[in-house]
Amino acid sequence: MIDNDTKRLSRLTAILTQLQTRHTLTATELAKKFSVSTRTIYRDIRALEQAGVPVLTEEGKGYRLMEGYRVPPVMFTEKQANALILAEQLVLKNKDTSFVNDYIEAVEKIKAVLGYKVKDKAMLLTERTRFELNVKSAKSSNNLSDLQLALTNFLIIKIEYINEAGSISDRLIEPFALVSTTENWLLIAWCRLRDEFRYFRIDRIRKLEVLDEKFSPHQMTLQQYFDKYY
């Protein structure tokens, strides 16, 4: 029951974010996005209404929030909103699923605090902006978000790694930096097995576990690393 309540609370919050992001959404669109029935969406909308959220129903169109319902924590200029939309299109080229999904969810929350006029222009720019290169390429990894979390919190990672020759090994590594190439992401990390810094292509990480154990931060910048080793 607790898990179900937690899932519902999470969905209600996400629905509210969606309603802030878009002008109008149908029950069918929301049901598809959250993998639930339209009947569940009807109940969720009633729950939001009972909580005092001014959800308006437009016959034949769907649901929308009463204009002005928000207290934006951050105000974006039109140029700043456009920059975020442009960045979103660039991110879609990335080969890592976790990174793309996290960024898209973040941008949706940012769009939610935009005023209606700026939001309309941002949505238009989304529809009219495309980077054809690699946009439809298959994603080749799903670890970037976990690696970023481990890197910033100095957490040791356990990985199962397959090298270029096809050999598989288990490693304990200390993430140091992430470097983007034209094809994939590379992780620079201190490898405890080899007792030295190594590059790891993240699309070759077959399994990854972020451990609770912390390591001592490496006292150098990325530029100092390049100066020392290259």
Side-chain angles (χ1 to χ4, degrees), residues 78-91:
E78 185 175 340
K79 286 184 178 180
Q80 290 169 338
N82 289 345
L84 290 168
I85 299 304
L86 180 65
E88 181 180 19
Q89 294 297 320
L90 289 169
V91 167

Side-chain angles (χ1 to χ4, degrees), residues 94-108:
N94 194 278
K95 295 292 189 71
D96 188 86
T97 303
S98 65
F99 180 74
V100 172
N101 289 343
D102 286 344
Y103 187 89
I104 289 175
E105 289 179 5
V107 168
E108 285 187 347

Side-chain angles (χ1 to χ4, degrees), residues 25-26 37 43 50 52 59 71 75 102-103 118 125 127 138-139 146 150 152 165 172 202 207 220-221:
L25 284 166
T26 66
S37 67
R43 288 198 295 264
Q50 291 169 359
E59 193 66 32
V71 181
M75 295 301 292
D102 286 344
Y103 187 89
V118 177
L125 190 61
E127 296 170 358
K139 305 305 178 190
D146 285 339
T152 55
L172 289 177
I202 70 170
K207 295 180 181 178
M220 61 177 165
T221 65

